């Protein structure tokens, strides 16, 4: 039996009755997925807008950029170089 014979037999066979109603289910799932994707894109757009506005507002407000801490103020008693031994 060749592929042409098999395809001819398949084309001549009756259509399963369940195939008549399957299209509605498939299309409704596609619509639901598209609707969910649109909602997700909208949510991401809102999140990006809020982050952008927050970042711009944070950059516009002068911050407390005072004196940087000095190395002298840092406690180095447990620094890795002292824990390895040999350095005291």
């Amino acid at each position: 039996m060749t592929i042409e014979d098999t395809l001819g037999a398949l084309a001549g066979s009756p259509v399963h009755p369940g195939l008549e109603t399957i299209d509605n289910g498939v299309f409704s799932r596609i619509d639901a997925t598209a609707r969910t994707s649109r909602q997700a894109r909208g949510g991401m757009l809102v999140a990006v807008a809020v982050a952008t506005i927050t970042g711009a507002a944070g950059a516009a407000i002068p911050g407390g950029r005072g004196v940087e801490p000095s190395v002298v103020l840092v406690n180095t008693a447990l620094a890795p170089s002292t824990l390895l031994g040999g350095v005291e």
Side-chain angles (χ1 to χ4, degrees), residues 1-10:
M1 186 173 222
T2 64
I3 187 89
E4 288 82 15
D5 296 334
T6 305
L7 289 175
L10 183 61

Side-chain angles (χ1 to χ4, degrees), residues 44-73:
M44 285 188 285
L45 181 63
V46 168
V48 168
V50 168
T52 302
I53 292 169
T54 303
I61 299 171
R65 296 185 182 119
V67 179
E68 295 292 324
S70 173
V71 175
V72 178
L73 300 176

